[in-house]
Amino acid sequence: MTTLHPAIMTRPGFEAFILTLPRATLVRQWRDDSVAKIGGKIFALLDRDPGEVWLKVSDMAYELLTELDGIRPAPYFARAGWVAISAASPLRGDEVEAYIAEAHRLVASKLSRKVRAELGLA
């Protein structure tokens, strides 16, 4: 059985969406993963193409999401409240996008006041 990957779980879809977020940047790191950053801090990444979307979530979202099939604690990042969302999860592409936008907001809110001001996010 093949799993259909929503556009957000492909490199073109992921990168196009990331670049719609205020002051977000993209780099290719590690195994050529697409890594999304704000103020130099990672808020989401695409692990493989197509693949899983890994992202920062709130404590409550972490508890709820990791109960769902196809969503697991993100390897290496779980202790910081990250989840890995696969195409096998019940989330639609627009829902994954909403979680990415929230990850962007969460990480941006933790940046120093100075960095937020430099980015025009203050």
Side-chain angles (χ1 to χ4, degrees):
M1 177 176 105
T2 60
T3 303
L4 181 64
H5 286 80
I8 193 66
M9 294 182 172
T10 67
R11 189 182 307 267
F14 179 84
E15 291 185 352
F17 179 75
I18 293 303
L19 294 176
T20 68
L21 300 171
R23 309 299 283 181
T25 59
L26 280 164
V27 296
R28 301 264 175 95
Q29 280 182 226
W30 304 306
R31 301 175 313 242
D32 197 38
D33 294 340
S34 294
V35 180
K37 297 183 178 187
I38 179 73
K41 303 289 184 182
I42 301 170
F43 65 90
L45 65 89
L46 178 68
D47 183 46
R48 307 203 192 281
D49 178 26
E52 291 182 318
V53 172
W54 296 12
L55 54 100
K56 171 78 173 145
V57 294
S58 69
D59 293 342
M60 183 169 42
Y62 182 89
E63 294 301 321
L64 295 170
L65 289 171
T66 55
E67 294 293 318
L68 299 174
D69 290 338
I71 302 177
R72 63 191 174 114
Y76 315 107
F77 291 78
R79 65 183 170 83
W82 281 59
V83 296
I85 303 171
S86 76
S89 83
L91 299 180
R92 297 182 320 265
D94 62 327
E95 292 170 317
V96 176
E97 289 175 358
Y99 277 109
I100 293 171
E102 177 62 6
H104 174 272
R105 189 197 67 75
L106 285 170
V107 173
S109 73
K110 298 291 185 186
L111 297 172
S112 71
R113 187 175 303 152
K114 179 183 176 188
V115 171
R116 286 195 315 270
E118 288 170 358
L119 294 172
L121 300 173

